[in-house]
Amino acid sequence: MPHSIVIFGASGDLTSRKLVPALYNLFRGGSLPADTRIVGYSRTPMSDDAWRASLRDTTAKHAEGEPFDEKAWGEFAPRIHYQPGDIGSSADMEQLKERLAVLEGAAAVTRVYYLATAPQFYEPVVAAIGALGMASEENGPRRIVVEKPFGTDLQTAKRLNAHLHTVFAESQIYRIDHYLGKESVQNIIALRFANTIFEPVWNRRYIDHVQITVAEEVPVGRRGAYYDGSGVLRDMFQNHLLQLLMVTAMEAPVKYRATAVRNEKVKVLESIRAYEPAEVAAAGTRGQYRGYLADPGVAPGSQTATFGAIRLEIDNWRWQGVPFYLRSGKAMSCRTTQIVIAFRQPPLELFAEGSRGGGSHREGNRLVIQIQPAEGIQLHFHTKVPGGGMKLRLTDLEFSYSREFKGRLPEAYEPLLLDVMTGEASLFARSDEVEKSWEIIDPFVRAWSSGEMTPIDLYEPGNWGPASSDAWINAQGRSWFDICPVL
Ligand code: BG6
């Protein structure tokens, strides 16, 4: 069946930097379903050809991997169409409907609506689609992709869900989190559930704690106007970090199918301990990089956190007593997303230097899952240094994607777009999942923006957050694994 991808917000950044390059890469690699057409909709008046020409340049710049292939683009470009129009104008939307009818003809078509607009247009687009009967599945499946941010708190997320459900069934809605499209994130599921050796140790008996870090080297820069109202909790924690936590902590689904996978993920969120209001401030630490206030769009004296770390407790049989530390920030030492499974110490320390057992504190074993940019896995363990005596050193076993597999790793949007086209929803968030995520993050947002908090700690760009972040985790008998990826 042919596919139409209708992009609302066609002239925006997401479309030119991510969506079209991903579709082009799929086409070039031979995985884009035959007879896929892309229809862009936005206010800028433009012809099909003008949009194609502009996308050619942005795609050449942003498509990752191999050099831009002019011939492949030449074959891909005729699939791209543009319809100028205003989301708020029913006459314009009617014209879009007519254009789609002309392009698609009488054949049944799988049609995907992609909300790549600013979030305030989500509801008007959905309302217009509903009013024109464009969600009806009489002539093939109709799906809608909703980008982040999905609301700004629990209340707005519930409202958006309710609004979507007035027009679309839950099974038609694909809430995207591009972290789940990353190869190395999907590989966590493979690592855990396609192997037997990890499962016996993947629990409170062997694991001391888990660290999930998404560090970015870049500052907020030009995105100040958006970021200042959002901060790191809404921008990164409610979505990406909680997704990483869910795939790390979930039980094995009975099948690798959307409902089973999503049920297990939601159970993790349901098991996360709700802190009493008085406990929230101590369960996290926050910071702002020096210079943030000078970024365009940032309010004078803003207390918005550009760095945050929180501790979550999962109260279930597998994880009770194993803290999950989540940390993210801008303008940090390097770009790295990693999950560190920190194992317990052996019950008895036999090889402490200068003593016969007991006493000295040695680093525990670690499984480090490098999500990006150096995708791979390292297992850290102690080895005897050759020579006399029992001197030990931490060494590791390494798996690196780039050494093991030839060619580029697909960009996150590529597999996700294909999944929407084929109706595979495992890697998309369900309504209860986003609502639960907000329920977990909202108390931190409230606490961090309350007037009772001490002024935010500053950190120099290029650090792992403020000094208070180390003090905070050290006070809990642990330390951050602050290593830039070397794989
Ligand atoms: C986005 C955030 O969702 O994710 C950005 O809004 C952040 O602030 C980005 O930079 C990080 O994505 P990635 O794939 O580069 O790690």
Side-chain angles (χ1 to χ4, degrees):
M1 188 185 295
H3 294 77
S4 297
I5 303 178
V6 183
I7 305 179
F8 294 95
S11 55
D13 255 17
L14 179 71
T15 306
S16 57
R17 296 171 83 95
K18 298 288 181 190
L19 302 182
V20 172
L23 290 163
Y24 154 80
N25 268 334
L26 287 170
F27 175 81
R28 190 179 53 175
S31 354
L32 192 71
D35 215 349
T36 298
R37 75 177 63 78
I38 300 152
V39 182
Y41 184 82
S42 70
R43 274 187 311 186
T44 320
M46 248 189 308
S47 64
D48 285 352
D49 282 339
W51 196 41
R52 287 172 190 151
S54 117
L55 288 176
R56 184 228 157 265
D57 295 347
T58 47
T59 304
K61 193 162 155 208
H62 297 297
E64 307 235 331
E66 290 119 60
F68 185 68
D69 181 342
E70 211 62 70
K71 184 167 167 283
W73 178 263
E75 288 162 20
F76 174 67
R79 295 158 179 267
I80 300 176
H81 310 270
Y82 185 76
Q83 177 67 31
D86 192 329
I87 287 160
S89 151
S90 39
D92 289 358
M93 284 292 291
E94 185 85 49
Q95 281 188 1
L96 172 67
K97 185 179 172 182
E98 283 163 18
R99 180 87 192 272
L100 288 169
V102 171
L103 289 169
E104 290 169 353
V109 171
T110 300
R111 199 191 282 168
V112 173
Y113 300 113
Y114 202 115
L115 296 183
T117 63
Q120 68 266 30
F121 297 114
Y122 293 176
E123 291 194 13
V125 175
V126 171
I129 290 175
L132 292 169
M134 291 164 72
S136 148
E137 299 202 294
E138 260 168 43
N139 215 14
R142 298 291 180 262
R143 305 186 180 124
I144 185 159
V145 183
V146 190
E147 266 289 339
K148 67 160 281 233
F150 196 93
T152 52
D153 58 12
L154 175 60
Q155 215 190 342
T156 47
K158 275 189 167 163
R159 193 190 128 133
L160 181 53
N161 273 331
H163 188 78
L164 282 161
H165 289 148
T166 59
V167 174
F168 292 95
E170 178 62 23
S171 58
Q172 294 174 280
I173 304 170
Y174 289 69
R175 297 173 193 79
I176 199 163
D177 184 315
H178 76 280
Y179 265 60
L180 290 178
K182 294 181 191 280
E183 280 293 329
S184 47
V185 174
Q186 292 173 53
N187 191 45
I188 302 171
I189 299 176
L191 177 87
R192 294 194 52 207
F193 305 130
N195 298 295
T196 50
I197 57 171
F198 298 107
E199 170 56 23
V201 296
W202 208 265
N203 56 52
R204 61 196 299 276
R205 290 187 61 198
Y206 294 96
I207 296 176
D208 176 73
H209 71 279
V210 176
Q211 296 182 16
I212 301 180
T213 297
V214 181
E216 293 184 278
E217 203 175 348
V218 289
V220 170
R222 289 188 301 123
R223 297 173 72 220
Y226 148 75
Y227 192 90
D228 205 39
S230 164
V232 71
L233 286 171
R234 290 189 174 111
D235 189 50
M236 299 298 289
F237 280 70
Q238 178 271 333
N239 36 68
H240 310 321
L241 279 107
L242 284 183
Q243 287 294 343
L244 295 177
L245 176 142
M246 283 184 261
V247 290
T248 307
M250 69 193 261
E251 299 299 316
V254 285
K255 288 195 185 76
Y256 193 59
R257 295 272 185 283
T259 305
V261 171
R262 300 199 296 188
N263 285 347
E264 294 308 333
K265 285 172 65 191
V266 169
K267 279 190 212 162
V268 174
L269 298 182
E270 284 171 343
S271 318
I272 291 181
R273 188 182 307 163
Y275 291 118
E276 296 297 329
E279 296 171 329
V280 179
T285 175
R286 73 211 214 289
Q288 185 186 82
Y289 64 82
R290 208 179 285 283
Y292 170 70
L293 294 179
D295 284 341
V298 173
S302 165
Q303 291 285 296
T304 296
T306 62
F307 168 91
I310 65 174
R311 168 188 169 127
L312 295 176
E313 303 280 348
I314 303 177
D315 285 335
N316 64 17
W317 280 57
R318 184 183 290 273
W319 295 116
Q320 216 287 322
V322 179
F324 278 66
Y325 294 101
L326 274 49
R327 171 175 71 150
S328 182
K330 301 273 185 202
M332 291 179 67
S333 305
C334 54
R335 176 171 183 247
T336 181
T337 298
Q338 58 192 23
I339 300 174
V340 178
I341 311 291
F343 290 94
R344 288 180 183 279
Q345 298 285 346
L348 201 62
E349 175 57 274
L350 290 182
F351 308 115
E353 272 162 42
S355 82
R356 282 174 185 273
S360 120
H361 186 79
R362 199 186 297 285
E363 286 180 87
N365 296 137
R366 276 187 293 253
L367 184 74
V368 182
I369 304 172
Q370 305 271 10
I371 305 295
Q372 64 182 19
E375 294 86 354
I377 295 173
Q378 295 160 322
L379 180 63
H380 297 187
F381 55 92
H382 294 281
T383 301
K384 179 182 173 306
V385 177
M390 265 310 217
K391 279 207 163 143
L392 303 187
R393 206 178 77 195
L394 203 63
T395 49
D396 54 54
L397 284 174
E398 271 184 12
F399 154 71
S400 143
Y401 267 87
S402 62
R403 281 202 294 270
E404 192 65 31
F405 299 107
K406 294 282 159 276
R408 67 175 190 99
L409 285 179
E411 258 285 288
Y413 277 93
E414 297 173 32
L416 294 177
L417 282 165
L418 270 189
D419 280 356
V420 181
M421 292 167 85
T422 52
E424 166 55 62
S426 303
L427 296 176
F428 295 83
R430 208 166 55 189
S431 58
D432 50 349
E433 194 176 324
V434 267
E435 291 181 13
K436 276 268 153 219
S437 304
W438 279 118
E439 227 172 290
I440 292 161
I441 296 304
D442 275 355
F444 288 96
V445 175
R446 278 196 294 273
W448 289 11
S449 55
S450 106
E452 288 158 29
M453 287 294 276
T454 50
I456 198 157
D457 293 322
L458 297 180
Y459 60 98
E460 294 301 328
N463 281 330
W464 291 92
S468 51
S469 158
D470 286 316
W472 175 76
I473 198 166
N474 294 345
Q476 299 171 59
R478 289 156 183 133
S479 49
W480 291 118
F481 182 69
D482 285 344
I483 307 283
C484 292
V486 289
L487 280 170

